[in-house]
Amino acid sequence: MNKELENYYNARFDLFASQGWKDLAEDLQGMIENYADISKINNVEDLYIRKGQLDILNWLISLKEISEQAYE
């Protein structure tokens, strides 16, 4: 692994170890739980918007695991 890529991952792992990341992950999990309730969606457009929101939230919440897998 080259030095630039190693620095990239080290910076990410420092981020994931921070209290700020842990707080953000907790907030994201709460948002996922709120957005998962589709009972109040009235049309297909809103359903697709909600799906996009959940896709982004799930990507963010799994970023730590994705980064760890890519590093290995």
Side-chain angles (χ1 to χ4, degrees):
M1 178 180 304
N2 68 45
K3 189 67 175 169
E4 185 178 335
L5 187 57
E6 186 176 345
N7 289 340
Y8 171 83
Y9 280 110
N10 286 336
R12 275 217 173 166
F13 296 142
D14 289 344
L15 169 69
F16 299 141
S18 73
Q19 185 61 47
W21 178 262
K22 293 171 187 168
D23 293 341
L24 177 62
E26 186 178 315
D27 291 343
L28 292 171
Q29 192 60 50
M31 292 175 70
I32 288 170
E33 290 168 9
N34 286 335
Y35 286 178
D37 178 12
I38 60 171
S39 65
K40 296 176 183 95
I41 293 178
N42 296 320
N43 57 52
V44 174
E45 287 180 13
D46 290 344
L47 179 63
Y48 284 121
I49 290 170
R50 182 66 57 90
K51 183 181 181 306
Q53 292 168 327
L54 285 168
D55 285 346
I56 295 299
L57 291 170
N58 283 316
W59 176 78
L60 281 168
I61 202 78
S62 65
L63 187 58
K64 180 181 178 198
E65 290 78 23
I66 292 168
S67 297
E68 289 169 348
Q69 290 173 1
Y71 182 78
E72 291 174 10

